[in-house]
Amino acid sequence: TRITRTSAMAAKEAAARQAVESFIQKQNVEGIVQELIQKLLVAKPENPRQFLLNYLEKDFQAQDDELTEADLQRLFLVSRRITGKINPQETISATIKETMGLLHCDAVSLYVLDRKMQMLRLYTHLTEFPIMLRLNHGIAGSVFLKQELVNIANCQQDSRFDRTMDMRTGYFTRSMIVVPILDIEGQSCGVLQAINKMPTGVEIDETVAVGKFAVAFSLVDEKMLLHLVQNVAIAIQNAEIYREAINCSERATGLLNTIQSVSQDLGPQSLLLTVTTHASKVCSAERSTVFLVDEAAEQLWSVSTDTGAEIRIPKDKGIAGECCCHCVVINIPDAYADPRFNKQVDIQTGYRTRSILAIPIMSEENSHVVGVIQMINKVSYDGQPEHFDEEDVEIMQLFASFVGPKLTSSMLSAKKSSKRDVSEGQMALGTAKLPPSPSTKSATNLGSFAEGDEEDD
Protein backbone atom coordinates (compact mmCIF):
# COMPACT_ATOMS: atom_id res chain seq x y z
CA THR A 1 0.00 0.00 0.00
CA ARG A 2 2.84 2.35 0.94
CA ILE A 3 4.57 1.58 -2.40
CA THR A 4 1.37 2.20 -4.31
CA ARG A 5 0.84 5.52 -2.50
CA THR A 6 4.44 6.60 -3.28
CA SER A 7 4.05 5.70 -6.94
CA ALA A 8 0.86 7.72 -7.16
CA MET A 9 2.52 10.80 -5.61
CA ALA A 10 5.47 10.47 -7.99
CA ALA A 11 3.07 10.27 -10.93
CA LYS A 12 1.24 13.40 -9.73
CA GLU A 13 4.53 15.29 -9.31
CA ALA A 14 5.66 14.26 -12.78
CA ALA A 15 2.31 15.37 -14.24
CA ALA A 16 2.57 18.70 -12.39
CA ARG A 17 6.12 19.27 -13.63
CA GLN A 18 5.03 18.44 -17.16
CA ALA A 19 2.09 20.87 -16.87
CA VAL A 20 4.39 23.62 -15.59
CA GLU A 21 6.91 23.02 -18.35
CA SER A 22 4.11 23.05 -20.90
CA PHE A 23 2.76 26.35 -19.46
CA ILE A 24 6.24 27.92 -19.45
CA GLN A 25 6.80 26.96 -23.05
CA LYS A 26 3.33 27.94 -24.22
CA GLN A 27 3.28 31.34 -22.48
CA ASN A 28 6.98 32.09 -23.15
CA VAL A 29 7.58 32.67 -19.45
CA GLU A 30 11.35 32.44 -19.86
CA GLY A 31 11.25 35.17 -22.49
CA ILE A 32 9.12 37.41 -20.26
CA VAL A 33 11.44 36.92 -17.30
CA GLN A 34 14.49 37.65 -19.45
CA GLU A 35 12.81 40.79 -20.76
CA LEU A 36 12.07 41.98 -17.21
CA ILE A 37 15.62 41.27 -16.10
CA GLN A 38 16.97 43.16 -19.12
CA LYS A 39 14.74 46.15 -18.29
CA LEU A 40 16.07 46.13 -14.73
CA LEU A 41 19.69 45.94 -15.84
CA VAL A 42 19.25 48.83 -18.28
CA ALA A 43 17.28 51.10 -15.91
CA LYS A 44 19.16 50.17 -12.70
CA PRO A 45 16.33 51.58 -10.51
CA GLU A 46 16.79 52.26 -6.81
CA ASN A 47 13.65 50.23 -6.09
CA PRO A 48 13.52 47.21 -8.46
CA ARG A 49 10.22 45.93 -7.04
CA GLN A 50 8.44 49.27 -7.60
CA PHE A 51 9.99 49.57 -11.06
CA LEU A 52 8.62 46.14 -12.08
CA LEU A 53 5.18 46.97 -10.66
CA ASN A 54 5.05 50.24 -12.63
CA TYR A 55 6.26 48.51 -15.78
CA LEU A 56 3.67 45.72 -15.54
CA GLU A 57 0.90 48.20 -14.71
CA LYS A 58 1.78 50.27 -17.77
CA ASP A 59 1.88 47.14 -19.91
CA PHE A 60 -1.58 46.04 -18.70
CA GLN A 61 -2.92 49.54 -19.30
CA ALA A 62 -1.54 49.58 -22.81
CA GLN A 63 -3.56 46.51 -23.69
CA ASP A 64 -6.74 48.32 -22.65
CA ASP A 65 -5.85 51.68 -24.25
CA GLU A 66 -6.15 50.72 -27.90
CA LEU A 67 -7.07 53.39 -30.43
CA THR A 68 -10.78 53.56 -31.15
CA GLU A 69 -12.29 53.98 -34.58
CA ALA A 70 -12.95 57.65 -33.77
CA ASP A 71 -9.28 58.12 -32.79
CA LEU A 72 -8.13 56.56 -36.04
CA GLN A 73 -10.45 58.79 -38.07
CA ARG A 74 -9.14 61.94 -36.36
CA LEU A 75 -5.58 60.74 -36.86
CA PHE A 76 -6.22 60.13 -40.55
CA LEU A 77 -7.73 63.59 -41.11
CA VAL A 78 -4.91 65.36 -39.24
CA SER A 79 -2.23 63.40 -41.13
CA ARG A 80 -3.87 64.19 -44.46
CA ARG A 81 -3.97 67.92 -43.71
CA ILE A 82 -0.28 67.92 -42.77
CA THR A 83 0.99 65.84 -45.69
CA GLY A 84 -1.13 67.93 -48.07
CA LYS A 85 1.26 70.86 -47.59
CA ILE A 86 4.40 71.29 -49.71
CA ASN A 87 5.56 74.76 -48.70
CA PRO A 88 8.02 74.31 -45.77
CA GLN A 89 6.53 77.05 -43.59
CA GLU A 90 2.98 75.87 -44.25
CA THR A 91 4.02 72.31 -43.38
CA ILE A 92 5.50 73.46 -40.06
CA SER A 93 2.49 75.63 -39.18
CA ALA A 94 0.06 72.83 -40.05
CA THR A 95 2.00 70.31 -37.96
CA ILE A 96 1.91 72.56 -34.88
CA LYS A 97 -1.74 73.54 -35.27
CA GLU A 98 -3.05 70.05 -36.05
CA THR A 99 -1.09 68.41 -33.23
CA MET A 100 -2.49 70.89 -30.70
CA GLY A 101 -6.00 69.99 -31.83
CA LEU A 102 -5.38 66.25 -31.95
CA LEU A 103 -3.99 66.01 -28.40
CA HIS A 104 -6.06 68.90 -26.99
CA CYS A 105 -2.97 70.55 -25.51
CA ASP A 106 -1.94 74.15 -24.86
CA ALA A 107 1.30 74.27 -26.85
CA VAL A 108 3.32 72.30 -29.41
CA SER A 109 6.96 72.73 -30.40
CA LEU A 110 8.46 71.30 -33.56
CA TYR A 111 12.22 70.72 -33.74
CA VAL A 112 13.59 70.15 -37.25
CA LEU A 113 17.15 69.04 -37.99
CA ASP A 114 19.21 71.50 -40.00
CA ARG A 115 21.48 69.00 -41.72
CA LYS A 116 23.89 71.63 -43.01
CA MET A 117 24.37 73.34 -39.65
CA GLN A 118 23.88 70.15 -37.59
CA MET A 119 21.56 72.02 -35.24
CA LEU A 120 17.88 71.85 -34.34
CA ARG A 121 15.49 74.55 -35.54
CA LEU A 122 12.80 75.18 -32.93
CA TYR A 123 9.41 76.31 -34.26
CA THR A 124 6.40 77.30 -32.13
CA HIS A 125 3.11 79.03 -32.85
CA LEU A 126 4.33 82.07 -30.89
CA THR A 127 7.66 82.74 -32.66
CA GLU A 128 8.04 84.34 -36.08
CA PHE A 129 11.50 82.91 -36.72
CA PRO A 130 13.01 79.58 -35.61
CA ILE A 131 15.46 79.36 -32.73
CA MET A 132 18.69 77.47 -33.39
CA LEU A 133 19.63 74.93 -30.70
CA ARG A 134 22.34 72.35 -30.19
CA LEU A 135 21.45 68.72 -30.93
CA ASN A 136 21.77 67.80 -27.25
CA HIS A 137 19.76 70.74 -25.91
CA GLY A 138 17.33 69.82 -23.13
CA ILE A 139 14.78 67.01 -23.11
CA ALA A 140 14.08 67.43 -26.84
CA GLY A 141 17.78 67.03 -27.61
CA SER A 142 17.95 63.87 -25.51
CA VAL A 143 14.91 62.43 -27.29
CA PHE A 144 16.46 63.34 -30.65
CA LEU A 145 19.74 61.57 -29.87
CA LYS A 146 18.33 58.51 -28.04
CA GLN A 147 15.22 58.13 -30.24
CA GLU A 148 13.11 57.39 -27.17
CA LEU A 149 9.67 58.77 -26.30
CA VAL A 150 9.44 60.76 -23.06
CA ASN A 151 6.14 61.30 -21.24
CA ILE A 152 6.35 63.44 -18.10
CA ALA A 153 3.20 63.77 -15.97
CA ASN A 154 4.57 66.59 -13.79
CA CYS A 155 7.56 68.51 -15.14
CA GLN A 156 7.88 70.53 -11.95
CA GLN A 157 8.87 67.35 -10.12
CA ASP A 158 11.13 65.96 -12.85
CA SER A 159 14.88 66.64 -12.63
CA ARG A 160 15.23 66.59 -16.43
CA PHE A 161 13.04 69.65 -16.86
CA ASP A 162 14.71 73.06 -17.03
CA ARG A 163 12.50 75.63 -15.27
CA THR A 164 14.49 78.61 -16.56
CA MET A 165 12.10 79.40 -19.41
CA ASP A 166 9.04 79.11 -17.17
CA MET A 167 10.62 81.50 -14.67
CA ARG A 168 11.53 83.94 -17.43
CA THR A 169 8.13 83.97 -19.20
CA GLY A 170 5.73 83.25 -16.35
CA TYR A 171 4.42 80.15 -18.15
CA PHE A 172 3.68 77.01 -16.11
CA THR A 173 4.62 73.67 -17.67
CA ARG A 174 3.07 70.65 -16.02
CA SER A 175 2.73 67.77 -18.46
CA MET A 176 4.87 67.07 -21.50
CA ILE A 177 5.24 64.40 -24.14
CA VAL A 178 8.20 64.37 -26.54
CA VAL A 179 8.50 62.03 -29.53
CA PRO A 180 11.38 61.61 -32.01
CA ILE A 181 10.70 62.06 -35.73
CA LEU A 182 12.53 59.44 -37.81
CA ASP A 183 13.12 59.48 -41.56
CA ILE A 184 12.75 56.46 -43.85
CA GLU A 185 16.28 55.34 -42.95
CA GLY A 186 15.50 55.35 -39.24
CA GLN A 187 17.62 58.45 -38.56
CA SER A 188 16.37 61.28 -36.35
CA CYS A 189 15.24 64.28 -38.40
CA GLY A 190 13.35 66.15 -35.70
CA VAL A 191 11.28 66.08 -32.51
CA LEU A 192 7.60 66.79 -31.83
CA GLN A 193 6.84 68.09 -28.35
CA ALA A 194 3.39 68.66 -26.83
CA ILE A 195 2.92 70.59 -23.58
CA ASN A 196 0.08 70.76 -21.04
CA LYS A 197 -2.75 68.46 -22.03
CA MET A 198 -6.01 70.21 -21.17
CA PRO A 199 -8.87 68.30 -19.50
CA THR A 200 -12.19 68.17 -21.33
CA GLY A 201 -15.28 69.66 -19.80
CA VAL A 202 -13.37 71.85 -17.35
CA GLU A 203 -13.81 75.61 -17.37
CA ILE A 204 -10.43 77.34 -17.32
CA ASP A 205 -9.94 80.34 -15.05
CA GLU A 206 -8.13 82.94 -17.19
CA THR A 207 -6.58 84.52 -14.11
CA VAL A 208 -4.69 81.30 -13.35
CA ALA A 209 -1.84 79.88 -15.44
CA VAL A 210 -3.22 77.37 -17.93
CA GLY A 211 -0.63 74.80 -16.93
CA LYS A 212 -2.16 74.58 -13.44
CA PHE A 213 -5.16 72.79 -14.96
CA ALA A 214 -3.12 70.45 -17.18
CA VAL A 215 -3.32 66.67 -16.84
CA ALA A 216 -0.92 63.93 -17.88
CA PHE A 217 -0.79 62.68 -21.48
CA SER A 218 -2.26 59.18 -21.75
CA LEU A 219 -1.00 56.08 -23.49
CA VAL A 220 -3.56 56.76 -26.23
CA ASP A 221 -1.85 60.15 -26.76
CA GLU A 222 1.49 58.37 -27.02
CA LYS A 223 0.18 55.95 -29.65
CA MET A 224 -1.48 58.69 -31.68
CA LEU A 225 1.66 60.81 -31.61
CA LEU A 226 3.86 57.89 -32.64
CA HIS A 227 1.59 57.29 -35.63
CA LEU A 228 1.43 61.00 -36.45
CA VAL A 229 5.20 61.60 -36.53
CA GLN A 230 5.56 59.03 -39.30
CA ASN A 231 3.46 61.28 -41.54
CA VAL A 232 5.18 64.41 -40.21
CA ALA A 233 8.54 62.93 -41.26
CA ILE A 234 7.25 62.42 -44.81
CA ALA A 235 5.82 65.95 -44.93
CA ILE A 236 9.10 67.50 -43.70
CA GLN A 237 11.13 65.54 -46.25
CA ASN A 238 8.83 66.58 -49.11
CA ALA A 239 9.00 70.23 -48.00
CA GLU A 240 12.81 70.11 -47.86
CA ILE A 241 12.99 68.64 -51.37
CA TYR A 242 10.64 71.36 -52.62
CA ARG A 243 12.69 74.06 -50.89
CA GLU A 244 15.93 72.80 -52.45
CA ALA A 245 14.35 72.63 -55.92
CA ILE A 246 13.20 76.25 -55.64
CA ASN A 247 16.63 77.36 -54.40
CA CYS A 248 18.42 75.63 -57.28
CA SER A 249 16.03 77.18 -59.79
CA GLU A 250 16.54 80.68 -58.37
CA ARG A 251 20.32 80.30 -58.38
CA ALA A 252 20.35 79.14 -61.99
CA THR A 253 18.07 82.00 -63.02
CA GLY A 254 20.22 84.50 -61.14
CA LEU A 255 23.42 83.32 -62.82
CA LEU A 256 21.84 83.43 -66.29
CA ASN A 257 20.52 86.94 -65.66
CA THR A 258 23.97 88.01 -64.44
CA ILE A 259 25.67 86.70 -67.57
CA GLN A 260 23.14 88.50 -69.74
CA SER A 261 23.43 91.80 -67.81
CA VAL A 262 27.20 92.10 -67.50
CA SER A 263 27.69 91.33 -71.18
CA GLN A 264 26.32 94.82 -71.88
CA ASP A 265 28.62 97.82 -72.17
CA LEU A 266 28.14 99.42 -68.74
CA GLY A 267 30.18 101.97 -66.80
CA PRO A 268 31.71 100.99 -63.44
CA GLN A 269 28.90 102.33 -61.25
CA SER A 270 26.10 100.92 -63.40
CA LEU A 271 27.92 97.59 -63.57
CA LEU A 272 28.41 97.66 -59.81
CA LEU A 273 24.69 98.21 -59.23
CA THR A 274 23.84 95.42 -61.67
CA VAL A 275 26.22 92.94 -60.03
CA THR A 276 24.96 93.88 -56.55
CA THR A 277 21.34 93.29 -57.55
CA HIS A 278 22.04 89.89 -59.09
CA ALA A 279 24.28 88.79 -56.21
CA SER A 280 21.33 88.99 -53.81
CA LYS A 281 19.20 86.83 -56.09
CA VAL A 282 21.91 84.23 -56.73
CA CYS A 283 22.51 83.68 -53.02
CA SER A 284 19.01 84.53 -51.75
CA ALA A 285 20.21 87.25 -49.39
CA GLU A 286 18.22 90.16 -47.99
CA ARG A 287 21.02 92.61 -48.74
CA SER A 288 24.28 92.60 -50.63
CA THR A 289 27.09 95.04 -51.32
CA VAL A 290 29.86 94.79 -53.91
CA PHE A 291 32.95 96.76 -52.83
CA LEU A 292 35.82 97.62 -55.18
CA VAL A 293 39.33 98.44 -54.02
CA ASP A 294 40.65 101.98 -54.42
CA GLU A 295 44.36 101.38 -53.82
CA ALA A 296 45.31 105.06 -54.13
CA ALA A 297 42.91 106.09 -51.36
CA GLU A 298 43.28 102.77 -49.45
CA GLN A 299 39.55 102.44 -49.40
CA LEU A 300 36.73 100.13 -50.44
CA TRP A 301 34.04 101.88 -52.42
CA SER A 302 30.59 100.94 -53.64
CA VAL A 303 27.33 102.49 -54.78
CA SER A 304 24.17 102.67 -52.71
CA THR A 305 21.37 100.69 -54.31
CA ASP A 306 18.90 103.14 -52.76
CA THR A 307 20.26 106.52 -53.89
CA GLY A 308 23.11 105.83 -56.29
CA ALA A 309 25.45 107.74 -53.95
CA GLU A 310 29.03 106.57 -53.63
CA ILE A 311 29.97 104.72 -50.44
CA ARG A 312 33.53 104.59 -49.11
CA ILE A 313 35.01 102.83 -46.07
CA PRO A 314 38.63 102.21 -44.95
CA LYS A 315 40.17 99.26 -46.75
CA ASP A 316 41.18 97.47 -43.55
CA LYS A 317 37.98 98.02 -41.52
CA GLY A 318 35.09 95.71 -40.81
CA ILE A 319 34.39 92.26 -42.15
CA ALA A 320 34.71 93.36 -45.80
CA GLY A 321 38.08 94.89 -44.97
CA GLU A 322 39.34 91.67 -43.38
CA CYS A 323 38.12 89.68 -46.39
CA CYS A 324 39.95 92.09 -48.71
CA CYS A 325 43.23 92.39 -46.81
CA HIS A 326 43.60 88.68 -46.03
CA CYS A 327 41.96 87.33 -49.20
CA VAL A 328 39.75 84.92 -47.26
CA VAL A 329 36.14 83.83 -47.37
CA ILE A 330 34.32 84.88 -44.18
CA ASN A 331 31.12 83.00 -43.33
CA ILE A 332 29.42 84.08 -40.10
CA PRO A 333 26.26 82.11 -39.23
CA ASP A 334 25.47 84.24 -36.15
CA ALA A 335 26.65 87.83 -36.46
CA TYR A 336 25.93 88.75 -32.84
CA ALA A 337 28.09 85.88 -31.61
CA ASP A 338 31.08 87.06 -33.66
CA PRO A 339 33.35 89.72 -32.07
CA ARG A 340 34.22 91.19 -35.49
CA PHE A 341 30.66 92.35 -36.02
CA ASN A 342 29.76 95.92 -35.10
CA LYS A 343 26.27 95.97 -33.53
CA GLN A 344 26.03 99.76 -33.40
CA VAL A 345 24.65 100.14 -36.92
CA ASP A 346 21.88 97.61 -36.21
CA ILE A 347 21.02 99.61 -33.10
CA GLN A 348 20.92 102.87 -35.08
CA THR A 349 18.90 101.53 -38.02
CA GLY A 350 16.70 98.94 -36.30
CA TYR A 351 17.84 96.32 -38.77
CA ARG A 352 18.74 92.85 -37.47
CA THR A 353 21.82 91.26 -39.00
CA ARG A 354 21.82 87.48 -38.55
CA SER A 355 24.25 85.93 -41.03
CA ILE A 356 27.09 87.35 -43.16
CA LEU A 357 29.07 86.00 -46.10
CA ALA A 358 32.05 87.90 -47.57
CA ILE A 359 33.76 86.67 -50.77
CA PRO A 360 36.95 88.23 -52.23
CA ILE A 361 36.87 89.21 -55.91
CA MET A 362 40.18 88.38 -57.58
CA SER A 363 41.86 90.04 -60.55
CA GLU A 364 41.83 88.33 -63.94
CA GLU A 365 45.34 87.01 -63.30
CA ASN A 366 44.20 85.86 -59.83
CA SER A 367 47.14 87.81 -58.37
CA HIS A 368 45.39 90.26 -56.06
CA VAL A 369 42.00 91.24 -54.60
CA VAL A 370 40.07 93.84 -56.59
CA GLY A 371 36.89 93.80 -54.54
CA VAL A 372 34.60 92.08 -52.04
CA ILE A 373 31.06 90.73 -52.31
CA GLN A 374 29.32 90.87 -48.95
CA MET A 375 25.95 89.22 -48.37
CA ILE A 376 23.69 89.88 -45.41
CA ASN A 377 20.98 87.56 -44.03
CA LYS A 378 20.30 84.54 -46.16
CA VAL A 379 16.60 83.69 -46.43
CA SER A 380 14.67 80.90 -48.10
CA TYR A 381 12.28 81.60 -50.95
CA ASP A 382 9.42 81.80 -48.43
CA GLY A 383 11.25 84.33 -46.27
CA GLN A 384 12.47 82.00 -43.54
CA PRO A 385 15.95 82.84 -42.18
CA GLU A 386 18.77 80.47 -43.11
CA HIS A 387 22.56 80.37 -42.91
CA PHE A 388 25.05 80.58 -45.73
CA ASP A 389 26.47 77.12 -46.38
CA GLU A 390 29.23 75.60 -48.49
CA GLU A 391 27.02 75.58 -51.58
CA ASP A 392 26.51 79.32 -51.17
CA VAL A 393 30.26 79.82 -50.83
CA GLU A 394 30.93 77.80 -54.00
CA ILE A 395 28.26 79.56 -56.06
CA MET A 396 29.42 83.01 -54.92
CA GLN A 397 33.06 82.18 -55.67
CA LEU A 398 31.93 81.19 -59.17
CA PHE A 399 29.93 84.41 -59.35
CA ALA A 400 32.96 86.45 -58.22
CA SER A 401 35.29 84.76 -60.71
CA PHE A 402 32.91 85.70 -63.51
CA VAL A 403 32.18 89.32 -62.58
CA GLY A 404 35.74 90.09 -61.37
CA PRO A 405 37.31 90.56 -64.83
CA LYS A 406 34.26 92.57 -65.97
CA LEU A 407 34.55 94.94 -63.02
CA THR A 408 38.32 95.29 -63.47
CA SER A 409 37.94 96.03 -67.15
CA SER A 410 35.20 98.58 -66.48
CA MET A 411 37.35 100.35 -63.86
CA LEU A 412 40.33 100.56 -66.21
CA SER A 413 38.14 102.00 -68.95
CA ALA A 414 36.78 104.59 -66.53
CA LYS A 415 40.28 105.67 -65.52
CA LYS A 416 41.27 106.21 -69.14
CA SER A 417 38.19 108.28 -69.79
CA SER A 418 38.38 111.85 -68.46
CA LYS A 419 34.83 112.77 -69.34
CA ARG A 420 32.38 112.34 -66.46
CA ASP A 421 29.19 114.33 -66.87
CA VAL A 422 26.99 112.57 -64.31
CA SER A 423 27.24 109.76 -61.86
CA GLU A 424 26.36 106.50 -63.61
CA GLY A 425 24.88 105.05 -60.45
CA GLN A 426 22.47 107.98 -60.22
CA MET A 427 21.73 107.75 -63.92
CA ALA A 428 20.86 104.07 -63.53
CA LEU A 429 18.43 104.98 -60.75
CA GLY A 430 17.03 107.99 -62.60
CA THR A 431 18.36 110.53 -60.08
CA ALA A 432 21.19 112.11 -62.06
CA LYS A 433 22.99 115.01 -60.38
CA LEU A 434 26.25 116.81 -60.78
CA PRO A 435 29.06 114.32 -60.22
CA PRO A 436 31.21 114.56 -57.10
CA SER A 437 34.92 115.06 -57.50
CA PRO A 438 37.03 111.90 -57.22
CA SER A 439 38.45 113.01 -53.89
CA THR A 440 35.07 113.78 -52.34
CA LYS A 441 33.64 111.18 -49.99
CA SER A 442 29.91 110.90 -50.38
CA ALA A 443 27.67 110.49 -47.37
CA THR A 444 26.96 106.84 -46.75
CA ASN A 445 23.54 105.32 -46.38
CA LEU A 446 24.18 103.01 -43.43
CA GLY A 447 21.03 101.02 -43.91
CA SER A 448 21.82 100.09 -47.49
CA PHE A 449 24.99 98.09 -47.10
CA ALA A 450 26.80 95.71 -44.83
CA GLU A 451 26.16 96.54 -41.20
CA GLY A 452 29.44 94.98 -40.10
CA ASP A 453 31.65 97.49 -41.93
CA GLU A 454 30.98 100.80 -40.24
CA GLU A 455 33.51 100.49 -37.44
CA ASP A 456 35.17 103.68 -36.26
CA ASP A 457 38.87 104.22 -36.79
Side-chain angles (χ1 to χ4, degrees):
T1 303
R2 183 178 295 176
I3 295 174
T4 303
R5 194 178 301 163
T6 302
S7 298
M9 290 179 61
K12 286 183 179 180
E13 290 178 358
R17 282 196 301 271
Q18 185 176 0
V20 170
E21 290 176 357
S22 176
F23 175 81
I24 290 174
Q25 184 176 4
K26 183 178 180 180
Q27 300 297 330
N28 191 27
V29 174
E30 290 185 359
I32 295 174
V33 172
Q34 289 178 1
E35 181 183 353
L36 292 175
I37 292 175
Q38 186 178 8
K39 293 287 184 183
L40 278 172
L41 294 176
V42 172
K44 296 182 178 64
E46 295 182 2
N47 190 336
R49 184 187 295 273
Q50 187 62 43
F51 174 83
L52 289 176
L53 286 174
N54 293 340
Y55 176 79
L56 292 173
E57 182 181 358
K58 188 174 181 179
D59 188 56
F60 292 147
Q61 213 173 11
Q63 297 179 16
D64 297 332
D65 290 338
E66 295 297 330
L67 296 180
T68 64
E69 184 176 348
D71 290 333
L72 293 173
Q73 288 180 352
R74 287 196 301 133
L75 184 61
F76 171 75
L77 292 175
V78 166
S79 299
R80 187 173 66 176
R81 284 194 286 265
I82 292 175
T83 55
K85 305 296 183 182
I86 190 66
N87 180 292
Q89 187 56 38
E90 291 180 358
T91 300
I92 291 167
S93 298
T95 299
I96 293 173
K97 177 183 176 181
E98 296 296 339
T99 304
M100 289 176 64
L102 181 67
L103 300 184
H104 192 57
C105 60
D106 184 53
V108 167
S109 300
L110 177 61
Y111 299 77
V112 180
L113 174 64
D114 187 322
R115 299 182 188 276
K116 296 176 181 178
M117 297 296 298
Q118 282 302 295
M119 297 182 73
L120 290 175
R121 290 173 172 263
L122 167 59
Y123 297 90
T124 71
H125 68 288
L126 298 175
T127 55
E128 182 180 1
F129 299 113
I131 301 172
M132 303 301 295
L133 301 171
R134 300 185 309 274
L135 295 183
N136 61 349
H137 180 84
I139 296 175
S142 176
V143 169
F144 176 86
L145 295 174
K146 296 180 179 179
Q147 297 186 355
E148 294 178 353
L149 179 148
V150 170
N151 190 351
I152 303 176
N154 192 338
C155 292
Q156 303 298 321
Q157 298 178 1
D158 195 291
S159 59
R160 295 170 294 180
F161 178 68
D162 184 1
R163 299 173 181 81
T164 305
M165 190 58 67
D166 276 13
M167 295 173 62
R168 186 183 303 169
T169 62
Y171 190 77
F172 186 86
T173 303
R174 183 185 295 277
S175 57
M176 175 188 296
I177 183 171
V178 193
V179 181
I181 303 173
L182 308 180
D183 58 24
I184 57 176
E185 297 177 351
Q187 300 298 315
S188 297
C189 62
V191 171
L192 190 58
Q193 174 180 277
I195 298 173
N196 286 343
K197 181 176 178 64
M198 306 311 299
T200 55
V202 176
E203 186 175 349
I204 305 298
D205 186 353
E206 295 183 358
T207 62
V208 181
V210 173
K212 299 284 188 178
F213 300 91
V215 297
F217 289 94
S218 66
L219 292 177
V220 170
D221 295 325
E222 290 186 11
K223 291 182 178 181
M224 295 186 73
L225 208 53
L226 286 171
H227 284 294
L228 179 64
V229 292
Q230 297 179 32
N231 293 289
V232 172
I234 295 173
I236 289 176
Q237 184 178 22
N238 291 340
E240 289 298 326
I241 293 173
Y242 180 73
R243 184 201 300 269
E244 190 60 32
I246 295 295
N247 287 340
C248 289
S249 175
E250 289 188 345
R251 284 177 175 174
T253 302
L255 285 174
L256 289 173
N257 290 339
T258 302
I259 294 172
Q260 182 179 9
S261 297
V262 300
S263 62
Q264 303 175 18
D265 186 16
L266 300 174
Q269 290 188 333
S270 297
L271 182 60
L272 203 58
L273 284 169
T274 301
V275 171
T276 301
T277 302
H278 288 302
S280 297
K281 296 179 180 178
V282 169
C283 213
S284 188
E286 286 184 351
R287 298 183 178 186
S288 66
T289 307
V290 178
F291 291 99
L292 295 180
V293 178
D294 185 341
E295 293 290 359
E298 294 187 351
Q299 293 177 332
L300 294 175
W301 72 275
S302 185
V303 176
S304 168
T305 54
D306 294 332
T307 65
E310 194 174 90
I311 301 168
R312 287 183 175 268
I313 62 174
K315 180 183 174 182
D316 58 348
K317 294 297 182 180
I319 295 169
E322 180 178 340
C323 174
C324 174
C325 293
H326 296 89
C327 189
V328 293
V329 173
I330 299 178
N331 188 358
I332 303 177
D334 185 356
Y336 279 68
D338 195 291
R340 295 169 294 184
F341 176 69
N342 180 13
K343 305 182 183 69
Q344 292 304 314
V345 177
D346 273 15
I347 296 173
Q348 294 172 12
T349 63
Y351 186 75
R352 172 74 181 189
T353 302
R354 296 183 299 272
S355 55
I356 302 174
L357 176 63
I359 302 287
I361 304 174
M362 304 302 295
S363 62
E364 191 168 4
E365 301 80 13
N366 208 35
S367 58
H368 62 281
V369 177
V370 298
V372 172
I373 303 176
Q374 183 165 270
M375 321 293 295
I376 302 293
N377 289 354
K378 172 162 183 179
V379 293
S380 64
Y381 74 95
D382 55 352
Q384 289 301 300
E386 294 186 341
H387 300 289
F388 297 104
D389 53 32
E390 288 302 317
E391 291 183 7
D392 296 315
V393 173
E394 291 177 3
I395 198 71
M396 289 312 299
Q397 285 179 325
L398 175 63
F399 182 88
S401 66
F402 176 74
V403 301
K406 299 288 185 181
L407 290 169
T408 304
S409 175
S410 179
M411 289 170 60
L412 290 174
S413 299
K415 287 181 180 180
K416 293 178 181 179
S417 175
S418 59
K419 185 177 180 180
R420 294 180 60 188
D421 294 331
V422 292
S423 166
E424 294 173 15
Q426 294 170 338
M427 181 182 290
L429 293 168
T431 57
K433 299 178 181 179
L434 291 176
S437 63
S439 60
T440 301
K441 297 180 181 179
S442 300
T444 59
N445 184 333
L446 297 181
S448 66
F449 69 104
E451 281 70 21
D453 285 326
E454 294 98 57
E455 299 176 351
D456 295 330
D457 292 337

